[in-house]
Amino acid sequence: MGRNRGTSKARTVVPTQREVLRDVMLAAGKYGAWMTLRELGRLTRYGETSISAQLRHLRKANCGGYVLEKRVRQADVIGAEEHFVVWEYRLTPRRAARLRTATSKTRAARR
């Protein structure tokens, strides 16, 4: 899904910003990690505003239809340089989110 760069002899595929962010967020999600825009920016070298826009795009059906969860980071995790509300994000495939919801509903029904 990346763009082709270079001559016809030596073509390399350069992933788009959205693809890089998707891969980073899905990898973090496998371990249950939540990431802030600042952390994503430091990791990928992209600006926080463009990261935010790309995360919004990933929710769209034509861009994967992922589930983007958002929550306020707890105060004990926030660094000394941040004195305001910090949001953190987690990206999951839509089908995994449905399975999680269905499983929790099934468990609740058993009780």
Side-chain angles (χ1 to χ4, degrees):
M1 292 211 150
R3 292 171 275 161
N4 292 329
R5 302 274 182 174
T7 64
S8 60
K9 292 181 182 179
R11 288 193 178 220
T12 58
V13 177
V14 177
T16 63
Q17 182 181 21
R18 188 177 309 144
E19 292 169 338
V20 170
L21 289 168
R22 179 201 60 208
D23 294 344
V24 168
M25 290 297 291
L26 290 176
K30 286 182 182 179
Y31 299 101
W34 291 71
M35 299 189 75
T36 65
L37 295 177
R38 177 171 284 175
E39 292 167 345
L40 286 167
R42 287 179 180 164
L43 186 62
T44 62
R45 305 271 188 215
Y46 298 133
E48 292 179 26
T49 52
S50 63
I51 289 171
S52 177
Q54 294 302 335
L55 291 177
R56 283 194 307 274
H57 286 305
L58 287 170
R59 295 185 313 186
K60 298 177 183 177
N62 62 341
C63 295
Y66 294 93
V67 175
L68 181 65
E69 299 174 83
K70 176 181 173 180
R71 70 180 186 190
V72 175
R73 180 160 280 189
Q74 296 177 0
D76 59 335
V77 182
I78 297 174
E81 72 275 2
E82 299 166 327
H83 302 287
F84 46 88
V85 174
V86 177
W87 294 94
E88 56 186 5
Y89 303 87
R90 181 169 65 180
L91 189 72
T92 55
R94 183 148 313 269
R95 67 177 179 273
R98 284 186 191 153
L99 289 176
R100 236 181 316 161
T101 304
T103 304
S104 57
K105 286 181 182 177
T106 304
R107 287 181 187 158
R110 289 181 188 167
R111 293 180 191 164

